[in-house]
Amino acid sequence: MALLNLTIKQLHQKLVDKEVTAVDLVNEVYARVDAVEDKVQAFITLTKETALAQAAALDAKGIDATNVLAGIPIGIKDNIVTKDILTTAASKILTGFEPVYDATVMTKLHEKDMINVGKLNMDEFAMGSTTETSYYAKTANPWDLSRIPGGSSGGSAAAVAAGEVSVALGSDTGGSVRQPAAFCGVVGMKPTYGRVSRFGLIAFASSLDQIGPITRTVEDNALVLEAIAGVDVHDSTSVPQPIADFTTDIHKDIKGMKIAVPKEYLGEGVQAGVKARVLEAIETLKGLGATVDEVSLPHIEYGVAAYYVLASSEASSNLSRFDGVRYGYRSPEAHDLETLYTKTRAEGFGPEVKRRIMLGTFALSSGYYDAYYKKAQQARTMIIEDFKKIFADYDVIVGPTAPTVAFKSGDYAKDPITMYMNDVLTIPSNMAGVPSLSVPCGLSENMPVGLQIIGNQFDEATVYRVGQAFETATNFNELTAEL
């Protein structure tokens, strides 16, 4: 646990100085997993044999002093495909699926000699905000095992918060990296749409999904995003941008920066304790020399409704490929083509996934397309324009990541609408395609609160700079869960 509490740069120096080996770090991961996994249940699959073999080979070759990520263990959300390693998206319908190729982000991590120690639990097909819809297990929040860790990247955030890994990858469609990062007291980034290749990410909503890192510190997060960012010939939605550099200016001060605080982000529905911590964070940013003004994002009130129409519509299309024909689960009761489809999908998908498929299919159906899907796209355009207007005058937008702290497991199991509303503050960033970072900003009810820092498209460097300045001034990232 002591080793995994160190930053990536600190671990790198120990590896270069041969104070520890890559095998030591991997063994530290699995020792911690053995100690806490029965409580947290963050992993679906562990890759101990291959991880130790990779670490031993790396030690034999020698750690590259110029590659800060070499030998660093990382956990991977289970909707990112990994060659020859079970990949389930936490769904029964992908039982036994071992991909024959790696996602682009995995190829990039392998090039950096990072070591995949296992696949992390999630809401089934990333549909949920609690990591309770997983077919395999319900992940617990390390800060309070009776509470949820958030979702859908709850396994990724919980593993980092529990000290099982110091770095994990998640995916964010409507807040699925940032909300669990906030609930678990760690750092989570949703990059600009197109910044990171989605090739090999099992799609939920293709126009919204982005892969992002979860870490303990802002600088660690920036280092990992630098490694996985970039255009990809396999993904037509990835955008050709200059080679990512998020760390050169990360330690510069933020004097003179202009910060916008939307009044809608601190309105009705935000818990008093969450609001208090965020207002204190804003005062800290003022103390660091930034100017702060209240602004308005008038159309985000349509964000949740528009998001669930668009995301569910895309999901109904993306999930049609899971039919029992080519891979994964096949119903033993199927005796012809029609029952193969109907029984496999009925038995293989969980209730939340079925709910969203039906909602999306309805929204796209003849007679309802214009009333729902088209209107949702129009609302999305208005939200994009709201952000453009603010970023014409301001460097970043700040507010709470989530309106509440992590809630008790089972609280929203029979109330999906309330669960959906928990994403009200994160969804707008996905709708607009802008980068958004959650950093710890204190405690309420002895549970972590997240400060959300939103930037203009492809301006992750400024977002990280503000996050780093806040982290350095407060050290809230040093607060850890006690298991």
Side-chain angles (χ1 to χ4, degrees):
M1 180 64 172
L3 277 177
L4 296 177
N5 275 337
L6 300 176
T7 67
I8 287 175
K9 283 188 173 179
Q10 289 169 334
L11 288 174
H12 173 68
Q13 196 58 53
K14 286 185 177 293
L15 288 167
V16 170
D17 294 342
K18 298 186 177 179
E19 292 180 31
V20 298
T21 65
V23 168
D24 291 334
L25 293 185
V26 172
N27 279 327
E28 183 100 357
V29 167
Y30 291 117
R32 183 63 177 169
V33 168
D34 287 343
V36 303
E37 184 60 12
D38 62 329
K39 301 175 185 176
V40 179
Q41 300 189 82
F43 284 90
I44 292 176
T45 303
L46 295 170
T47 56
K48 187 172 184 177
E49 186 176 333
T50 56
L52 284 170
Q54 185 184 349
L58 195 55
D59 288 331
K61 181 177 71 171
I63 299 295
D64 180 355
T66 65
N67 177 10
V68 72
L69 297 178
I72 304 297
I74 185 169
I76 306 297
K77 187 176 179 179
D78 205 30
N79 61 346
I80 297 170
V81 303
T82 42
K83 185 178 180 182
D84 299 327
I85 298 171
L86 182 67
T87 300
T88 70
S91 180
K92 179 180 179 179
I93 207 163
L94 281 176
T95 299
F97 175 53
E98 294 184 1
V100 296
Y101 68 98
D102 271 323
T104 295
V105 292
M106 295 309 302
T107 301
K108 287 176 175 284
L109 294 178
H110 292 320
E111 290 169 354
K112 290 292 185 179
D113 285 326
M114 294 194 84
I115 300 171
N116 174 18
V117 294
K119 304 299 291 294
L120 291 156
N121 198 25
M122 55 183 283
D123 282 303
E124 185 183 4
F125 283 106
M127 297 182 189
S129 304
T130 66
T131 314
E132 292 177 296
T133 69
S134 169
Y135 173 67
Y136 294 93
K138 293 181 180 179
T139 300
N141 191 315
W143 286 80
D144 179 348
L145 298 174
S146 70
R147 296 178 186 248
I148 57 96
S152 62
S153 306
S156 299
V160 174
E164 295 176 289
V165 290
S166 53
V167 185
L169 287 189
S171 67
D172 193 308
T173 307
S176 290
V177 163
R178 291 159 290 153
Q179 184 245 33
F183 282 180
C184 293
V186 292
V187 178
M189 165 63 93
K190 182 207 81 73
T192 304
Y193 184 80
R195 172 68 84 178
V196 178
S197 171
R198 294 185 301 105
F199 179 73
L201 174 66
I202 297 173
F204 166 14
S206 303
S207 73
L208 299 161
D209 298 337
Q210 276 289 275
I211 296 169
I214 296 176
T215 56
R216 281 203 182 82
T217 71
V218 172
E219 187 171 24
D220 282 1
N221 203 283
L223 288 168
V224 176
L225 185 58
E226 280 186 2
I228 63 173
V231 67
D232 178 19
V233 295
H234 299 297
D235 177 9
S236 62
T237 66
S238 67
V239 179
Q241 287 283 314
I243 295 174
D245 180 1
F246 305 131
T247 54
T248 298
D249 296 331
I250 198 169
H251 291 284
K252 289 185 177 180
D253 65 48
I254 60 169
K255 289 178 182 175
M257 277 198 183
K258 297 180 68 178
I259 295 175
V261 179
K263 61 184 181 182
E264 293 84 2
Y265 274 56
L266 291 169
E268 186 180 351
V270 178
Q271 283 181 347
V274 171
K275 186 174 182 178
R277 296 297 84 76
V278 171
L279 290 174
E280 290 164 4
I282 290 168
E283 290 304 312
T284 298
L285 294 172
K286 288 181 181 177
L288 293 171
T291 60
V292 178
D293 296 320
E294 184 182 89
V295 298
S296 179
L297 287 167
H299 297 108
I300 67 163
E301 64 177 300
Y302 307 119
V304 172
Y307 168 85
Y308 278 99
V309 169
L310 297 177
S312 298
S313 296
E314 293 181 25
S316 74
S317 175
N318 282 327
L319 270 62
S320 64
R321 73 193 71 180
F322 302 108
D323 52 17
V325 175
R326 289 153 290 189
Y327 43 74
Y329 175 77
R330 177 181 294 184
S331 173
E333 301 300 317
H335 305 298
D336 56 46
L337 187 60
E338 183 177 349
T339 56
L340 170 64
Y341 291 157
T342 57
K343 287 187 177 294
T344 294
R345 288 169 66 82
E347 296 167 15
F349 289 136
E352 182 61 32
V353 174
K354 291 175 186 174
R355 182 182 294 122
R356 299 197 194 195
I357 289 173
M358 288 189 289
L359 173 62
T361 304
F362 172 79
L364 291 175
S365 62
S366 176
Y368 296 100
Y369 179 92
D370 286 346
Y372 294 102
Y373 186 79
K374 183 178 178 182
K375 283 256 189 300
Q377 289 286 30
Q378 290 169 334
R380 182 179 194 171
T381 300
M382 291 191 291
I383 291 169
I384 292 170
E385 292 303 316
D386 286 347
F387 276 101
K388 284 181 178 179
K389 287 175 184 176
I390 290 177
F391 286 125
D393 297 315
Y394 293 91
D395 296 295
V396 294
I397 296 168
V398 302
T401 305
T404 69
V405 295
F407 40 87
K408 295 286 185 178
S409 179
D411 276 3
Y412 293 165
K414 296 181 180 179
D415 185 6
I417 301 301
T418 304
M419 180 183 73
Y420 297 167
M421 289 304 296
N422 203 260
D423 295 332
V424 65
L425 303 178
T426 51
I427 280 171
S429 298
N430 298 82
M431 299 286 276
V434 294
S436 181
L437 179 75
S438 180
V439 296
C441 68
L443 303 177
S444 174
E445 304 173 27
N446 294 317
M447 295 298 295
V449 175
L451 175 72
Q452 186 174 201
I453 305 166
I454 305 169
N456 204 356
Q457 287 188 336
F458 298 104
D459 194 15
E460 285 88 350
T462 298
V463 174
Y464 278 131
R465 184 173 162 188
V466 174
Q468 179 66 42
F470 179 77
E471 181 180 277
T472 302
T474 59
N475 294 322
F476 287 128
N477 64 297
E478 295 178 6
L479 297 173
T480 54
E482 295 184 9
L483 280 168

